[in-house]
Amino acid sequence: MQTAGKYEDYHFIDTTKPVWNYSRFEGDDIANFQNGTNYRCDELFGSHEMEVLGTKGYYFAVWAPNATFVSVFGDFNNWDKQIHALYVRLDNSGIWEGFIPELPKGASYKYHIHGYAGQKLDKGDPYANFWEVRPNTASRTWALDYSWKDATWMDKRKEHNKLDAPWSVYEVHLASWMRPDKYNEESYHTYSFFKEHLVSYVKEMGFTHVELMPIMEHPFDGSWGYQGAGYFAPTSRYGTPQEFMDLVDAFHKEGIGVILDWVPSHFPYDAHGLFMFDGTHTYEYADMRKGYHPDWNSYIFNYKRGEVKSFLISSAMHWFRKYHIDGIRVDAVSSMLKLNYSRTAGQWEPNEHGGDGNLEAIAFIKDLNETIFRDFPDVQTIAEEATDWPGVSKPTFEDGLGFGMKWMMGWMHDTLKYFKQDPVYRQYQQDQFTFSMMYYYDENFMLPLSHDEVVHGKSPMLYKMPGDEWQKFANLRLMYSYMFTHPGGKLLFMGNEFGATSEWNYKSELQWELLQYDSHRGVRECVKALANLLKAEPALYENQFNQFGFEWVDLNHGAESVMAYRRKGKNPAEDIVVVLNMTPVVRKDWKLHVQGKESWKEIFNSNDAKFWGTGDTYNPDIQVRVVDGQAGWYELNIHLPSLGAVILK
């Protein structure tokens, strides 16, 4: 950006040509871009509404280092590829730029590139703020002006996003949350619709945050957004960038944080996208042992290249700066870190130290997190990382990767494996169930029951549970009770909260019709009660990422599959005790030894009639017997419902 004065104050501009010579670059912009340290590329590249010499229009800049000719063509010039040729910078940066006068907002455009070895390519703008609605593939000129109304949230959001705040996240795929016609995958609601309906739903359910599966522009619905083309644009499927800003604003007004899924790991090979951008491997590694992703038939960013690093970190910063988001969940971190990810011997080459780590990707991730937390100390970054890579959520100054949190995939696998079993066999699997607390303190963990667990033949959550219909629902409520009282953040995919009976289908919508049944309404009421309990009880979140927040109270009744643990906040008087009965046997007059407090009451029971439980096994008055008054030990006499969780305070 020209800060010392305008470009035209120092340079002659030839206004006789269709494209005027103009530049927004100055000072160290180019050097930083090449070094991977320009984190405001979105303000320099792409298309920008400007006024030059009293004439309004759009400035364009694109990086195409192996091009011999680049033009802008679109509906404004009848898609003529020759008229509006950009100027190449003479500093060997590979940047092409220029100003097109009188160009209106909303014009569709692409870059026509004469690339390596004479290839002719038509590409969308990697830095575009807005795109045509798919299947069309052009970018659109746009401006990101918006009057934000979330100052109250922004001033105080550190309180909501810090690590000792309650975290319950509702994961949403916008298109299939609700559709105008559930039988028509081409029908979409708008950002404005979600502002009216999704915001109030998340608020009513008591979740603290919403996580949107990738809303960055992407060509193919079946990728769910994880194979993107527009790293700086919310998808036009649901409306304009401003309408998306309005949705974020509405969440903030209701005190709900917004997390975006972000995919810096790979991108698709669509002709208009980043792949072979100027006829060579511009954005991806040229060595396909590093540059091609066998699992997803996609291409991997070249983290060694400074320009690519600047592009990616600028993308992340763009969403924080322009869209006021509260966090990013970084997808597929495991695949970025490991050179041998999904590769066998001979398909990968060790790094310079002989190891399997992608050193450039590791450096990129550390820079990403350092930059985000430097400029936005009141947000979070969350890693989807499934290996035993050390220090994912440790600070970079402790040689960690610098994320705020990491998805706890081991907890998810162990928990689902445990709950899938017939309760008669759970007595033999207590070690598996309690294993999560052995490695819990290694990272700041978020517990995910995500979209990945209810697709592709994995069955919906409800049908992972054993037993008859009543037992399936009881087991599901029991598992959610365990999840919400286990240390760490929580993430629940849409539809899980009311016990969907079919796998998630991105082409349709959630099974809202199930809510006519008491059983499904009951499990939703249970999740709502748990989400509100999480926010109301500091013992559940104040020490959720350290060893002071949890202790086992009773693991000595494996044969009965009853387990109890204490959750502790900063004030011992607010401690709570959770008792889980993992079998369909009602246990009356169960004796539990606890230390510290003499008086206890039941504050939650997953068998409550309003949750579609039987409602007949509960604890209105808990009898307490002194075991050792001096040491403060007491024996509680409680009643445990079948397949039930009881929470005492």
Side-chain angles (χ1 to χ4, degrees), residues 383-547:
E384 189 230 356
E385 203 285 317
T387 70
D388 55 359
W389 193 277
V392 172
S393 59
K394 292 284 186 287
T396 54
F397 59 77
E398 291 179 14
D399 204 30
L401 293 180
F403 285 98
M405 290 185 229
K406 166 181 166 163
W407 272 23
M408 196 174 187
M409 308 297 246
W411 173 89
M412 180 265 297
H413 287 302
D414 289 348
T415 298
L416 291 177
K417 189 175 172 188
Y418 180 89
F419 275 94
K420 281 176 184 175
Q421 295 178 99
D422 187 306
V424 91
Y425 300 115
R426 288 178 180 171
Q427 59 180 307
Y428 308 115
Q429 301 298 327
Q430 181 167 294
D431 287 353
Q432 177 190 307
F433 182 81
T434 59
F435 181 59
S436 66
M437 291 313 299
M438 298 292 287
Y439 63 92
Y440 178 76
Y441 304 111
D442 295 348
E443 302 278 359
N444 299 334
F445 280 120
M446 176 173 278
L447 318 180
L449 291 175
S450 74
H451 64 274
D452 275 331
E453 303 319 307
V454 291
V455 289
H456 302 325
K458 289 186 180 177
S459 100
M461 284 295 159
L462 183 66
Y463 291 153
K464 294 184 199 294
M465 302 294 121
D468 60 23
E469 186 189 33
W470 187 88
Q471 289 186 358
K472 284 186 193 306
F473 279 97
N475 267 302
L476 192 61
R477 296 191 304 269
L478 176 58
M479 184 175 76
Y480 290 159
S481 303
Y482 166 58
M483 176 188 191
F484 272 86
T485 55
H486 188 290
K490 338 284 175 204
L491 177 133
L492 200 60
F493 182 56
M494 63 180 201
N496 288 348
E497 79 275 15
F498 58 74
T501 58
S502 65
E503 290 179 338
W504 170 52
N505 175 11
Y506 76 89
K507 295 180 177 182
S508 186
E509 68 170 13
L510 296 186
Q511 299 171 282
W512 296 108
E513 67 277 7
L514 292 176
L515 289 169
Q516 65 186 295
Y517 303 111
D518 292 343
S519 52
H520 293 277
R521 273 205 314 277
V523 78
R524 185 170 73 166
E525 285 301 312
C526 179
V527 170
K528 187 196 298 188
L530 286 164
N532 284 312
L533 188 74
L534 175 69
K535 292 190 291 192
E537 296 297 337
L540 289 175
Y541 60 80
E542 285 183 340
N543 288 319
Q544 63 189 338
F545 295 120
N546 62 52
Q547 68 271 33

Side-chain angles (χ1 to χ4, degrees), residues 14-21 58 76-77 82-87 98-103:
D14 185 351
T15 58
T16 64
K17 303 260 177 71
V19 179
W20 297 0
N21 55 300
Y58 274 82
F76 64 93
N77 68 1
Q82 302 304 317
I83 303 174
H84 290 93
L86 297 178
Y87 300 89
F99 175 79
I100 302 180
E102 314 288 356
L103 190 63

Side-chain angles (χ1 to χ4, degrees), residues 307-341:
E307 296 93 339
V308 173
K309 204 166 143 190
S310 291
F311 168 83
L312 285 171
I313 297 182
S314 292
S315 165
M317 300 298 279
H318 177 80
W319 297 98
F320 288 110
R321 275 198 300 263
K322 303 290 188 189
Y323 291 93
H324 288 203
I325 65 162
D326 300 283
I328 54 171
R329 176 262 194 190
V330 181
D331 181 62
V333 173
S334 306
S335 73
M336 298 166 66
L337 295 173
K338 297 266 200 171
L339 294 166
N340 57 359
Y341 184 88

Side-chain angles (χ1 to χ4, degrees), residues 316-373:
M317 300 298 279
H318 177 80
W319 297 98
F320 288 110
R321 275 198 300 263
K322 303 290 188 189
Y323 291 93
H324 288 203
I325 65 162
D326 300 283
I328 54 171
R329 176 262 194 190
V330 181
D331 181 62
V333 173
S334 306
S335 73
M336 298 166 66
L337 295 173
K338 297 266 200 171
L339 294 166
N340 57 359
Y341 184 88
S342 281
R343 287 176 165 82
T344 55
Q347 295 180 326
W348 65 284
E349 188 177 37
N351 63 33
E352 61 199 55
H353 305 302
D356 62 359
N358 183 336
L359 302 179
E360 299 123 34
I362 295 163
F364 159 72
I365 288 169
K366 289 181 176 184
D367 280 359
L368 169 75
N369 283 315
E370 285 175 1
T371 306
I372 290 171
F373 285 120

